[in-house]
Amino acid sequence: TMNQQLIEDALKRRESLAKAYREFNINPLLLIQLPNDNSDTLSAEEKTIVEEIINYLDVHKNISVENNKLAIWLSGRKENVAGIEKMDCMTEVLLFKQAIALGWDCPRAAVLLIFRELHSEVFTTQTLGRILRMPQQRHYTNDLLNFGYVYTNLSADMISVVRDDMNYISKIPVHQKHGITNIALNSVF
């Protein structure tokens, strides 16, 4: 199905990032967001998607709640979410609806798979911001690690990013003054 193909593509990206992050002891996290209809409760369609995702991950990828590679953060169902922010946490995939949209910080989150209903093509910068953080707050020589990756069932011409949360993103250019030399400070304990 299209859902399974999207999961497959997102998992391949997560796996390539895992190889690249290995030297830093970082296990990148794939976030899978269900269609968001601004309701905490799951619709019948979402329940079907949840079961399809959980079954596919378990049967085809050996990713499950039981082996701690899958975390679920849904209204009334939280499994394997404790310690998920830790860089070396063994959880590879987090399935959620909208619980992590505000105030949640997990810098190892690197790939986002968003399932959307066809009439819902809006992405908020708050959700996209989850995968744009740098795990060690620096850029890497391997450029693969300097980006966030988004997969969705919408075509590119249908996607728009809403500026509703843009107040936390700023762009302030910084330039080094000419003629300044580096100084060395002694380390004292």
Side-chain angles (χ1 to χ4, degrees), residues 4 28 68 174:
Q4 292 170 347
N68 294 314
V174 177

Side-chain angles (χ1 to χ4, degrees), residues 28-44:
L29 184 65
L30 164 60
L31 304 177
I32 300 178
Q33 184 177 26
L34 297 172
N36 188 347
D37 63 359
N38 295 325
S39 169
D40 283 337
T41 58
L42 295 177
S43 67

Side-chain angles (χ1 to χ4, degrees), residues 49-106:
I49 292 173
V50 167
E51 292 311 312
E52 178 185 2
I53 292 169
I54 291 171
N55 184 50
Y56 181 79
L57 290 173
D58 186 21
V59 172
H60 298 284
K61 299 297 175 182
N62 193 33
I63 297 173
S64 67
V65 171
E66 291 74 28
N67 66 14
N68 294 314
K69 291 183 178 182
L70 175 64
I72 299 174
W73 193 337
L74 299 171
S75 179
R77 184 176 180 188
K78 292 181 181 59
E79 300 179 57
N80 293 336
V81 294
I84 198 168
E85 299 89 2
K86 294 180 182 173
M87 298 294 184
D88 62 348
C89 179
M90 69 184 299
T91 302
E92 298 175 0
V93 178
L94 171 64
L95 179 62
F96 73 103
K97 185 162 179 174
Q98 55 184 339
I100 69 166
L102 297 171
W104 184 71
D105 188 28
C106 185

Side-chain angles (χ1 to χ4, degrees), residues 78-186:
K78 292 181 181 59
E79 300 179 57
N80 293 336
V81 294
I84 198 168
E85 299 89 2
K86 294 180 182 173
M87 298 294 184
D88 62 348
C89 179
M90 69 184 299
T91 302
E92 298 175 0
V93 178
L94 171 64
L95 179 62
F96 73 103
K97 185 162 179 174
Q98 55 184 339
I100 69 166
L102 297 171
W104 184 71
D105 188 28
C106 185
R108 73 183 189 97
V111 182
L112 177 62
L113 169 54
I114 303 178
F115 289 109
R116 292 294 201 193
E117 297 167 1
L118 290 178
H119 64 272
S120 177
E121 64 271 346
V122 172
F123 292 82
T124 67
T125 54
Q126 187 70 269
T127 302
L128 293 176
R130 299 292 152 236
I131 61 161
L132 295 177
R133 291 181 173 89
M134 305 303 282
Q136 296 173 311
Q137 298 179 357
R138 67 179 177 90
H139 283 85
Y140 299 91
T141 55
N142 182 345
D143 213 29
L144 178 73
L145 304 178
N146 294 325
F147 293 92
Y149 300 88
V150 178
Y151 295 82
T152 183
N153 56 353
L154 293 176
S155 63
D157 61 334
M158 293 179 66
I159 296 172
S160 63
V161 177
V162 176
R163 298 180 55 91
D164 64 343
D165 296 315
M166 289 296 281
N167 61 345
Y168 76 95
I169 295 175
S170 62
K171 183 177 180 181
I172 303 171
V174 177
H175 305 283
Q176 186 174 2
K177 290 183 179 180
H178 295 293
I180 294 180
T181 57
N182 288 334
I183 60 171
L185 298 175
N186 294 329

